[in-house]
Amino acid sequence: MKRGKVDSMLPPSRLGMVQILIGAVFVYLLFITFEIPHVLKHGFGSSGSDDSLDALPRTFMLESEEEMGERDATSRPTEDPFRDSGGSPYRTPQRRTREVKKVSGLVFKDTLFDANVSRDQVSELHNAARNAWTAGKKLWAELESGKLEFDLKNKSENRSEPCPYSFILNGSEFEARKRVMVLPCGMTLWSHITVVGTPKWAHSEYDPKISMLKEGDEAVMVSQFMMELQGLKNVEGEDPPRILHFNPRLKGDWSGKPVIEQNTCYRMQWGSALRCEGWKSRADEDTVDGQVKCEKWIRDDDDHSEESKATWWLNRLIGRTKKVTIDWPYPFAEGKLFVLTVSAGLEGYHINVDGRHLTSFPYRTGFALEDATGLSVNGDIDVHSVLAASLPTSHPSFAPSMHLEMVSRWKAPSLPYGHVELFIGILSAGNHFAERMAVRKSWMQHKLIKSSRVVARFFVALIRTVPAKYIMKCDDDTFVRVDAVLKEAWKVHGHRSLYIGNINYHHKPLRHGKWAVTYEEWPEEDYPSYANGPGYVLSSDIAKFIVSDFEKHKLRLFKMEDVSMGMWVEQFNNSKPVEYVHSLKFCQFGCIDDYYTAHYQSPRQMICMWDKLQHQGKPQCCNMR
């Protein structure tokens, strides 16, 4: 038998595909043939009173094409405002819920899919629609009840904060935010913030911290304000760190002259202030990105003469003309508008006022630029606007997990079976992830610790017993030169009891202020001799005595840990003599060269100090304050 014309034109593989396609078309036509009469009968053609058999086309009551054209999709905001609201296109979830209901235009009747209707009265198409209607009704009920809105709100709150390139606040907005502008992603190189403000007129000040007034003296007139870059994500229970503290004092400084003071504060401890008092920084002083730390301005006691009379006559005789200089006034005045810009350079912050460079403040505390997550302006000033620009557009992670690296390299060696020379207990808080990680990566990598001759552990939980000859206590922001501390202990010969640190002798309790102690708490005029808390060493016999008295409930407890230790050592000294070893190299405030311990060191400073020890072999400070 001869093949057909079509068969002869197609290869065998394509012939099979064509046959399958023809079969599918035949089945579809057959389905439509049986389905259309049923739809026409129960849908368009039905005019009876039984609404339970109404088909789908009657249930979709769409709005007119003209009405639909007036509305955009609600899944994203548009540039044009909604006509029905007359407000912003950026709606709240609740408003968006109402718009979904109206724009969709779907109206369902509860009697459309009556459960009493038999299966032979409806087609499979109706069954599918019934299931869809049931699911849609449930979702609609959640929308109307507000449950879905709550979930959407939670999801939006859980998202990471956006990182805008720039943003601006006017004066009222800045006041409403308690004079704090949040920088969610911090700053980056050449980021800048501009503050437009007006200093207020001076007011009477009776605070003895500003002026020591005698009876009958008039009050001091004060006008000053503070602009600070702060780390808002601070440790719980502590004030936020001041990464840059900029304090112009128009009136009220102890010098009686207008000055500008700058400083930093880490872990509630201030560094050494940089004061600009109207004189230009010395020529031999370090600069910041080529800029002087302090520019010159006219002072009341300046006679505008920087050369002696002899030099002036000599210049006249040789015919040398005098160089013309321009003097600038103090950049801030009461009631006068100013524009101040602080920008982040390679080596520090630079501050310009009204277009002129005023001061430059070097980075000194080990903070990174992204740590400055807020700008605060307080004091005698009216702020008109604040602008932040050139900000980082990527969000750094502030989650604690960023500081946790679960690798064996940073894990402390297991406790040895025998005795060790020195046990170092590091006092730390539960949320000090960054501090502990910095300690692990720096001085805990010392070969004495890696070899287990010295053991270091964090006092987050209690460690029962470590058989050590010496016991050392330090804080998690203390950098320890392990070998130097051990050598200092070895200087005490024999098996004598020892207490080593920066010892305070005849230190008197403070009766006022943050560290105040009442007479009920400490009735004596002097504390016992005690070593400052950031780092001290005890011999093991003193430590065993303290543990024993504690278990017998005989230990006297006091509110300050380092003073308490001095009390317990003094009590031990009554039965067995203790050798007190005092050294300023157990640095209490910050760091000094050739230190044994350095306090108030940020995680970045610790890594820097460890690198200097490893590569230069020198105990030098990093960004010394």
Side-chain angles (χ1 to χ4, degrees):
M1 183 173 65
K2 296 182 179 180
R3 295 183 178 179
K5 188 175 181 179
V6 176
D7 294 348
S8 62
M9 295 175 62
L10 296 173
S13 60
R14 293 193 175 183
L15 178 61
M17 295 176 61
V18 171
Q19 292 173 344
I20 292 173
L21 179 61
I22 293 174
V25 172
F26 177 78
V27 172
Y28 176 77
L29 293 175
L30 185 65
F31 174 80
I32 293 298
T33 301
F34 286 98
E35 194 69 14
I36 287 178
H38 184 78
V39 173
L40 292 176
K41 177 181 178 181
H42 297 286
F44 297 109
S46 178
S47 59
S49 61
D50 189 359
D51 291 335
S52 63
L53 296 180
D54 280 358
L56 289 176
R58 293 188 60 181
T59 66
F60 287 83
M61 300 180 182
L62 296 179
E63 297 173 347
S64 67
E65 184 176 343
E66 186 179 18
E67 290 175 329
M68 291 294 293
E70 292 181 354
R71 294 171 174 83
D72 294 326
T74 58
S75 60
R76 59 181 178 181
T78 61
E79 295 181 359
D80 297 329
F82 287 83
R83 297 187 183 182
D84 60 342
S85 66
S88 170
Y90 299 90
R91 299 169 180 258
T92 61
Q94 183 178 2
R95 181 63 177 169
R96 186 179 299 168
T97 300
R98 292 197 293 268
E99 289 299 324
V100 170
K101 180 177 179 180
K102 189 170 184 179
V103 173
S104 69
L106 298 179
V107 179
F108 292 101
K109 296 181 179 180
D110 293 338
T111 59
L112 290 179
F113 302 103
D114 194 338
N116 296 325
V117 179
S118 61
R119 292 183 58 87
D120 57 354
Q121 291 180 299
V122 293
S123 65
E124 292 298 326
L125 182 61
H126 285 76
N127 288 330
R130 184 206 303 269
N131 295 334
W133 180 85
T134 303
K137 182 180 180 181
K138 180 180 179 181
L139 178 61
W140 196 256
E142 291 180 353
L143 284 170
E144 290 182 332
S145 66
K147 180 178 180 182
L148 184 61
E149 174 189 347
F150 179 78
D151 294 340
L152 292 173
K153 184 178 180 181
N154 284 346
K155 288 182 179 179
S156 64
E157 289 179 352
N158 291 333
R159 295 173 184 169
S160 60
E161 297 172 275
C163 297
Y165 179 77
S166 64
F167 52 90
I168 186 171
L169 297 176
N170 59 36
S172 58
E173 292 171 334
F174 191 63
E175 288 288 341
R177 303 186 184 195
K178 298 181 179 180
R179 291 195 170 191
V180 174
M181 170 186 275
V182 176
L183 308 172
C185 304
M187 302 176 69
T188 188
L189 188 62
W190 306 124
S191 294
H192 53 89
I193 301 174
T194 299
V195 177
V196 180
T198 303
K200 295 181 179 180
W201 294 94
H203 59 89
S204 301
E205 181 61 67
Y206 296 91
D207 189 348
K209 295 179 181 178
I210 297 178
S211 174
M212 299 298 295
L213 297 177
K214 296 181 181 178
E215 186 175 355
D217 289 350
E218 295 183 359
V220 175
M221 302 300 291
V222 174
S223 177
Q224 65 169 341
F225 66 92
M226 287 70 67
M227 184 186 74
E228 294 181 338
L229 290 174
Q230 299 180 353
L232 299 183
K233 302 179 185 299
N234 57 304
V235 176
E236 184 178 357
E238 295 183 358
D239 294 338
R242 275 82 165 179
I243 301 171
L244 171 65
H245 171 83
F246 179 80
N247 176 204
R249 300 174 184 168
L250 288 69
K251 291 182 179 178
D253 186 73
W254 56 266
S255 65
K257 305 295 180 182
V259 300
I260 294 174
E261 186 167 291
Q262 298 164 95
N263 209 338
T264 55
C265 182
Y266 176 67
R267 299 291 287 272
M268 301 175 68
Q269 294 293 327
W270 290 95
S272 300
L274 170 64
R275 285 174 61 91
C276 295
E277 302 180 281
W279 311 113
K280 190 172 184 177
S281 300
R282 300 191 310 271
D284 58 348
E285 198 170 339
D286 293 336
T287 59
V288 182
D289 295 321
Q291 301 273 18
V292 296
K293 295 180 180 178
C294 296
E295 296 285 2
K296 181 180 183 244
W297 61 74
I298 300 174
R299 289 171 51 108
D300 294 341
D301 55 353
D302 189 0
D303 60 1
H304 306 284
S305 176
E306 297 182 359
E307 59 183 357
S308 64
K309 293 182 178 179
T311 304
W312 183 84
W313 279 107
L314 178 62
N315 290 333
R316 289 290 302 271
L317 289 173
I318 63 178
R320 181 182 298 172
T321 59
K322 184 177 180 180
K323 183 179 179 181
V324 177
T325 60
I326 301 177
D327 291 326
W328 298 86
Y330 183 73
F332 305 102
E334 301 162 84
K336 181 182 177 181
L337 186 77
F338 68 85
V339 179
L340 180 152
T341 299
V342 53
S343 58
L346 288 169
E347 300 175 353
Y349 295 104
H350 305 284
I351 295 179
N352 287 46
V353 178
D354 297 335
R356 174 177 177 259
H357 175 258
L358 181 62
T359 67
S360 290
F361 187 74
Y363 304 132
R364 308 195 293 182
T365 60
F367 286 105
L369 286 173
E370 61 265 22
D371 294 333
T373 52
L375 173 80
S376 171
V377 181
N378 290 298
D380 306 320
I381 181 176
D382 291 321
V383 178
H384 306 299
S385 65
V386 182
L387 167 68
S390 299
L391 300 174
T393 55
S394 59
H395 197 291
S397 174
F398 291 100
S401 59
M402 71 174 290
H403 304 297
L404 299 178
E405 299 180 24
M406 299 301 184
V407 293
S408 58
R409 179 182 179 185
W410 311 124
K411 186 177 180 180
S414 301
L415 293 176
Y417 292 103
H419 288 261
V420 298
E421 284 290 328
L422 174 67
F423 173 79
I424 304 177
I426 310 162
L427 199 63
S428 182
N431 57 351
H432 287 195
F433 299 100
E435 286 82 354
R436 290 196 293 274
M437 204 67 224
V439 171
R440 291 188 182 99
K441 289 183 175 181
S442 57
W443 60 267
M444 275 185 69
Q445 294 298 308
H446 197 281
K447 60 184 179 181
L448 287 172
I449 295 179
K450 303 299 285 187
S451 65
S452 296
R453 290 182 60 189
V454 174
V455 172
R457 290 292 188 272
F458 293 102
F459 281 165
V460 178
L462 182 63
I463 295 173
R464 173 61 183 170
T465 302
V466 176
K469 186 175 182 181
Y470 307 110
I471 311 295
M472 180 178 183
K473 179 267 171 181
C474 68
D475 294 336
D476 59 10
D477 59 350
T478 300
F479 188 94
V480 180
R481 280 180 61 206
V482 181
D483 52 344
V485 170
L486 200 54
K487 289 178 181 177
E488 191 70 12
W490 287 340
K491 292 179 181 179
V492 180
H493 299 288
H495 297 280
R496 303 183 64 178
S497 304
L498 57 85
Y499 184 28
I500 304 176
N502 192 335
I503 308 292
N504 294 287
Y505 296 100
H506 308 292
H507 192 263
K508 297 184 179 298
L510 299 176
R511 302 301 183 183
H512 303 282
K514 178 183 177 182
W515 307 109
V517 175
T518 65
Y519 282 97
E520 290 76 15
E521 293 172 320
W522 189 265
E524 303 173 31
E525 291 299 323
D526 293 331
Y527 285 134
S529 299
Y530 70 94
N532 287 322
Y536 54 81
V537 181
L538 299 168
S539 54
S540 59
D541 54 349
I542 299 178
K544 291 177 181 178
F545 167 80
I546 295 172
V547 172
S548 175
D549 271 19
F550 175 77
E551 292 176 342
K552 297 175 183 177
H553 304 284
K554 296 170 56 178
L555 202 65
R556 180 183 178 184
L557 301 178
F558 190 59
K559 63 192 300 182
M560 287 179 281
E561 160 260 325
D562 47 5
V563 177
S564 298
M565 183 59 68
M567 294 163 43
W568 303 333
V569 173
E570 184 183 58
Q571 187 176 349
F572 179 88
N573 191 38
N574 293 332
S575 58
K576 183 180 179 180
V578 175
E579 184 163 345
Y580 288 73
V581 180
H582 168 67
S583 175
L584 293 175
K585 293 184 178 181
F586 289 86
C587 191
Q588 165 73 358
F589 298 104
C591 176
I592 60 174
D593 285 342
D594 200 26
Y595 58 86
Y596 293 160
T597 64
H599 193 212
Y600 297 124
Q601 300 303 296
S602 70
R604 297 178 189 275
Q605 283 175 303
M606 287 198 176
I607 301 299
C608 171
M609 295 169 72
W610 178 247
D611 288 340
K612 285 192 174 184
L613 280 177
Q614 294 298 297
H615 299 115
Q616 302 179 18
K618 297 180 180 179
Q620 293 180 336
C621 305
C622 292
N623 301 325
M624 187 172 70
R625 291 179 288 167

